[in-house]
Amino acid sequence: MRKVFRCTARITALLSSVVMAVSAQTAFAYSGSGANNSYPEYQCDHIEYLDDGGRIYVYFIDGIKNSFPVPPDGFDPLTASDEDLSTYGFPPKLY
């Protein structure tokens, strides 16, 4: 019984090592290190500057406007108004 257990444990350890090695190689291949990415690169169409120093980056992707708001330096969502939270994509406060 002990020999069967030792053999099974060794086979399981060997298989686990092989699976981990293959997984690591696959993850490395897709990490962008030399791999040819087939993803398109998008250029920002324009930037909308807000009065508080924030910005909204606008991209047109397949004819659809996509806006990505970036809050100004020092923006604190804990003390911001509900309007500012909405502008920058934060959920409203729970009172």
Side-chain angles (χ1 to χ4, degrees), residues 46-79:
H46 66 276
I47 302 171
E48 298 173 6
Y49 294 94
L50 303 176
D51 293 336
D52 63 354
R55 298 171 307 281
I56 298 177
Y57 291 85
V58 179
Y59 293 79
F60 284 94
I61 302 172
D62 295 331
I64 299 172
K65 181 180 178 181
N66 294 272
S67 301
F68 299 96
V70 177
D73 291 337
F75 179 80
D76 184 8
L78 298 177
T79 59

